[in-house]
Amino acid sequence: GFSHAGKLYCFPEEAVFLVERCDLALVRGGRLLSVQEAYALLPRAGVAWPRYYVYAFLKRYGYILQRHPARWRVPKGEPVG
């Protein structure tokens, strides 16, 4: 996840993994979501199942994971390719 303006934000796969481990409670509309309901949020958040499975597998084995930036940044004037 990341922090911004003093608040901590989780990526969808992080939130669902923490819900699986009972380390996070997701609340939507004033109601606590079950693990199954949290799983259902993944595809709607753009996280494919294979991506989540790999994420969860690596986290269970103790890896520290970080998302890659969405875009490559090429310095101005430098050729691409």
Side-chain angles (χ1 to χ4, degrees):
F2 60 96
S3 60
H4 177 71
K7 293 184 180 181
L8 180 63
Y9 296 87
C10 290
F11 291 114
E13 61 272 21
E14 292 173 313
V16 172
F17 180 75
L18 292 172
V19 168
E20 270 185 355
R21 295 176 41 96
C22 296
D23 289 331
L24 178 72
L26 282 180
V27 178
R28 188 172 191 187
R31 192 176 67 76
L32 186 65
L33 296 183
S34 68
V35 175
Q36 291 78 15
E37 290 170 316
Y39 287 146
L41 296 175
L42 287 172
R44 288 189 270 166
V47 178
W49 289 109
R51 180 178 175 171
Y52 176 72
Y53 291 139
V54 169
Y55 174 86
F57 176 84
L58 293 172
K59 287 297 287 181
R60 285 186 195 101
Y61 279 89
Y63 284 87
I64 297 172
L65 304 173
Q66 182 177 349
R67 275 192 175 186
H68 190 277
R71 294 186 223 175
W72 286 91
R73 298 188 187 269
V74 178
K76 195 172 188 174
E78 189 172 309
V80 178

